[in-house]
Amino acid sequence: MKAQFHPIPRISEHPSGKIFRKDVSMPWSLPPKGEGAVPMKQVQCFVCRQMCNVPKSAISAKCLHCASYIKMDDISLHARTHRTFVRTWGTVTIRANADLKGLDVECLHLVMHGRGSGKFRCQGLCKIKSDQHISGMIEAQRLVIEKKAKVTVVGGMMVKDCQINGVLEGQIKASNVITIRRNAKFLGDIVARQLVIEEGGIHQGAFTKLSD
């Protein structure tokens, strides 16, 4: 014979007759202020040129000002690449087997293993590791010419800092320092705040010092 079930009556102490659960915790809670925040970075829209805050891990975003698409992923250009117009806040790499002309590249960092000619604008580092004859121009925060690389830039260069370990030919303007390392060479006119030539380094051309 089954025992009969006798529920225990629940008596409310509240005048409304409602029964309230005690010590109920939320299934989730927001992290304390300053903890668990998503790391952010600033990027510039390629269309309206306004700055936007986006998560550091993002590979794309929409501009908060004009809703334009902003790419932030890394891009490799190789021998079979047909695209010449590149806009990204990632790193653009020109592969060793490439020989590309008519490029128009704007990126965060640029690394040139292979040949590329055109306009290059880098918000960060531009590193050239092979012989180049660039018919366009280079804009970068920092320009580095690696050893054994012989580079000619026809359209001029505008940088913050430049370090020459190989041979560079053209006209350059630097808002900070240009350094010509030992056994390196620069052929052309320099406008910079400071020029450093290590022993064994060579500069052939005029130097104009920027005033403070």
Side-chain angles (χ1 to χ4, degrees), residues 111-129:
V111 181
M112 300 179 70
H113 297 276
R115 296 180 180 231
S117 182
K119 294 190 297 183
F120 302 101
R121 283 161 288 188
C122 308
Q123 299 293 331
L125 170 67
C126 176
K127 181 180 288 188
I128 302 179
K129 303 172 75 69

Side-chain angles (χ1 to χ4, degrees), residues 44-110:
Q44 186 181 48
C45 175
F46 298 116
V47 177
C48 70
R49 297 296 171 179
Q50 297 290 324
M51 301 301 295
C52 303
N53 285 324
V54 300
K56 279 189 174 181
S57 58
I59 60 172
S60 66
K62 273 192 174 182
C63 175
L64 302 176
H65 305 279
C66 69
S68 298
Y69 180 63
I70 304 173
K71 288 177 65 67
M72 288 175 283
D73 55 340
D74 297 336
I75 295 176
S76 291
L77 304 178
H78 48 80
R80 296 184 180 181
T81 299
H82 298 291
R83 65 189 298 184
T84 58
F85 185 80
V86 177
R87 296 288 184 274
T88 182
W89 271 86
T91 298
V92 173
T93 303
I94 299 178
R95 295 297 180 188
N97 62 348
D99 188 1
L100 307 174
K101 295 178 174 59
L103 294 174
D104 187 348
V105 175
E106 188 170 356
C107 59
L108 180 59
H109 304 302
L110 173 67

Side-chain angles (χ1 to χ4, degrees), residues 16-35:
S16 66
K18 291 183 178 180
I19 298 176
F20 294 90
R21 295 176 62 188
K22 296 181 179 180
D23 301 328
V24 178
S25 59
M26 294 292 290
W28 56 269
S29 60
L30 293 173
K33 190 174 181 180
E35 295 183 13

